[in-house]
Amino acid sequence: MAQSIEVVNLPDPRLVQVELTRANDEVERCSVAAGDLRYEASTEAYPARLFFQSSCLRRADDKKVEVKVLCAG
């Protein structure tokens, strides 16, 4: 199972939240701010990526991965 996903047009990685729907339908929320995700900025050769860490590692039986950008204000 890939432990990273490509992201584009992410204005501030601290505002991203990923929701993983597990096999039992439990939804786990992960964020850069909480340390569950690591953000790697894009380069000329590679797109930006989010890496899943600690309790937010992806599992083969996950049902869904949703990436959301939270609004500050």
Side-chain angles (χ1 to χ4, degrees):
M1 175 60 46
Q3 293 299 329
S4 69
I5 56 173
E6 182 179 318
V7 292
V8 293
N9 299 326
L10 187 59
D12 185 339
R14 295 172 296 177
L15 299 177
V16 73
Q17 183 179 74
V18 174
E19 292 183 353
L20 297 172
T21 303
R22 302 297 190 182
N24 64 359
D25 290 321
E26 180 181 321
V27 176
E28 189 164 350
R29 287 175 182 83
C30 313
S31 68
V32 172
D36 305 314
L37 302 171
R38 179 175 56 87
Y39 175 74
E40 189 173 285
S42 62
T43 65
E44 287 186 24
Y46 300 102
R49 297 194 78 77
L50 287 172
F51 291 86
F52 295 86
Q53 304 184 129
S54 63
S55 65
C56 279
L57 292 175
R58 292 181 64 197
R59 300 174 190 161
D61 60 355
D62 285 343
K63 292 182 175 181
K64 185 171 27 174
V65 177
E66 292 181 274
V67 178
K68 300 178 178 186
V69 177
L70 305 175
C71 296

